[in-house]
Amino acid sequence: MKPPEAFEKESFSLACYSHNISTQRIQRGQVKYSLYRNGIVLKLGDFSGKFNTKAEASRNGNYSCDAVAKHIRKSSNVIVFKAKVLVSKPSIFVPGEVIVGKQFWIHCHCENGSLPVSYTLLSNKVPQKSVLVRQPNETASFLVTVRRKEDVRNFTCEAENNGYSSRTESRVLDAAVTEPVSVPTLLIMPNFGSVTEGEELFLACTVREGSPPFTLKWYRDGSDQPLDTLMTKERTGLHVLGPARREHTGAYQCVADNPASDARRSALVRVSVSLAQWKLVLIVVSCILLLTVLIGVGCYRYRAQRGKRETATELSVKPSSPKSEDSLTVSLAHDTEAYSAHTGAASLLTARTGERPMGRQIV
């Protein structure tokens, strides 16, 4: 057979001849050849020894020939012919998940095509890698990475098993792509973290980039247990702390995750809860009342001390001579008994002597 292999629609030929002929008994032209496929004669007797045709599935089978001369028959060896199948259009697919920034496998496979088959991965029509597949049911695999979600659709693959003429290209790769979440942003609502007691307090966690669904968790700084967990397809989730209380004061953060399993934490945001207006008014009024009481007590004590000083008895001690410039004033506490005793003694002295006491005069 020439060539020894043939792809579908290619020409091939079979030649049947005898190397050795006893020319003393048989002339070469007396030998008649017959061609058989799967035991069924194709050419009988008048076969010249050469058979030309095109390869196709209907031509597959076991070929042999017989040589007959003067009732002598000899059979040839058997050639098993199977037309080689050109590769079909390859399929391109991803067996697992595609995550931006992480490696993943791209597979290429042809349903039909005689081995070996050469597969080439293309990105924007530019060859990247090639793999030669020699085993049945084997798939060409390529390990790649993408930086952006849209880069996945740049990939195609080519397959060939009989040179350039057999080359065929797949469709573009169509695969679901997961983008890891970006660092989330935590906002305190209302007033960006400065709230008053009694106001509704919300913690809003926002993810700008990434593929849903998202898992959002809220934490208070210093605690490993989340305050709340939310699974959502929306890019913003809310956690309601409820009416603000003083114990809500502290630092908070949120954690965002998605199927890419690359959780990100927001920056810590501090919440400050101030007193309610009525409490402030009550504190101010209480301070004013307390100050008023303190002032009143102080005034009362001051007046009491001053009254004692004003009601004290002033005693002035002066010389008997009216011209004398020396005087002495002694202030004593106003005591009725002392004063009366002193006056009585002076009167008794006057009665006995008939004179007023000399020396000092009690004023």
Side-chain angles (χ1 to χ4, degrees):
M1 177 180 172
K2 290 184 180 180
E5 294 180 337
F7 281 86
E8 292 175 328
K9 300 181 180 180
E10 289 184 336
S11 297
F12 71 97
S13 64
L14 295 171
C16 187
Y17 63 94
S18 299
H19 289 283
N20 300 313
I21 295 177
S22 178
T23 57
Q24 296 178 353
R25 297 178 56 190
I26 302 171
Q27 297 297 317
R28 187 171 292 274
Q30 294 177 331
V31 180
K32 301 298 182 181
Y33 297 97
S34 299
L35 182 64
Y36 299 86
R37 180 171 64 87
N38 298 329
I40 299 174
V41 65
L42 294 177
K43 298 288 185 179
L44 179 61
D46 59 352
F47 177 52
S48 62
K50 290 186 179 181
F51 178 75
N52 297 312
T53 188
K54 284 190 175 181
E56 56 185 44
S58 61
R59 300 289 186 182
N60 295 343
N62 300 327
Y63 286 84
S64 64
C65 67
D66 286 348
V68 178
K70 293 185 177 181
H71 307 290
I72 300 172
R73 179 183 296 272
K74 297 288 182 74
S75 297
S76 71
N77 59 300
V78 177
I79 292 178
V80 179
F81 173 76
K82 184 178 181 180
K84 298 194 72 173
V85 180
L86 293 172
V87 290
S88 58
K89 187 173 183 178
S91 59
I92 183 171
F93 59 95
V94 176
E97 60 180 350
V98 178
I99 299 176
V100 174
K102 295 185 178 181
Q103 291 184 322
F104 63 96
W105 290 98
I106 294 178
H107 288 192
C108 284
H109 178 68
C110 294
E111 288 294 330
N112 299 310
S114 298
L115 299 173
V117 178
S118 176
Y119 294 92
T120 301
L121 182 68
L122 309 177
S123 178
N124 288 323
K125 303 296 183 179
V126 178
Q128 303 296 313
K129 302 175 184 178
S130 295
V131 173
L132 186 64
V133 173
R134 299 180 180 274
Q135 300 298 324
N137 301 321
E138 184 180 352
T139 301
S141 302
F142 305 92
L143 188 61
V144 298
T145 306
V146 292
R147 301 287 181 185
R148 301 177 303 167
K149 182 178 181 179
E150 52 271 20
D151 290 345
V152 170
R153 296 189 60 83
N154 294 336
F155 290 106
T156 59
C157 72
E158 287 181 341
E160 63 177 77
N161 61 353
N162 191 32
Y164 180 80
S165 61
S166 65
R167 186 175 300 171
T168 180
E169 186 177 359
S170 72
R171 58 174 175 77
V172 298
L173 177 62
D174 185 13
V177 182
T178 299
E179 291 183 287
V181 294
S182 59
V183 175
T185 301
L186 182 64
L187 294 178
I188 309 300
M189 301 170 60
N191 303 329
F192 302 99
S194 180
V195 296
T196 304
E197 279 185 319
E199 287 186 305
E200 286 295 325
L201 184 58
F202 301 90
L203 304 181
C205 187
T206 301
V207 177
R208 296 187 179 277
E209 298 178 358
S211 301
F214 304 104
T215 300
L216 305 178
K217 296 181 180 181
W218 288 264
Y219 291 86
R220 184 164 183 166
D221 189 30
S223 176
D224 294 331
Q225 296 298 320
L227 298 172
D228 192 12
T229 300
L230 174 67
M231 294 189 67
T232 177
K233 292 183 178 179
E234 304 297 329
R235 294 191 175 272
T236 299
L238 290 178
H239 171 61
V240 182
L241 282 177
R245 302 190 302 272
R246 293 285 289 172
E247 54 265 30
H248 286 149
T249 298
Y252 297 83
Q253 69 177 172
C254 70
V255 177
D257 198 1
N258 69 348
S261 299
D262 191 10
R264 299 293 184 90
R265 289 180 174 268
S266 71
L268 285 171
V269 177
R270 185 162 185 82
V271 174
S272 179
V273 181
S274 57
L275 288 174
Q277 292 295 328
W278 68 271
K279 288 186 178 181
L280 291 175
V281 172
L282 180 61
I283 291 174
V284 171
V285 171
S286 298
C287 290
I288 293 174
L289 291 175
L290 179 61
L291 183 60
T292 302
V293 171
L294 292 175
I295 292 174
V297 171
C299 291
Y300 175 79
R301 295 184 64 183
Y302 173 76
R303 288 176 179 176
Q305 292 293 335
R306 184 177 179 183
K308 289 181 180 181
R309 288 195 298 269
E310 288 179 352
T311 56
T313 302
E314 294 182 357
L315 297 177
S316 297
V317 180
K318 296 181 180 180
S320 59
S321 174
K323 294 181 179 180
S324 175
E325 295 180 357
D326 296 332
S327 66
L328 177 62
T329 303
V330 180
S331 296
L332 299 175
H334 183 66
D335 190 318
T336 304
E337 293 180 1
Y339 180 79
S340 299
H342 189 77
T343 305
S347 300
L348 180 60
L349 179 61
T350 303
R352 291 179 178 180
T353 61
E355 298 180 358
R356 295 179 62 90
M358 298 295 291
R360 294 175 182 171
Q361 183 181 1
I362 298 175
V363 180

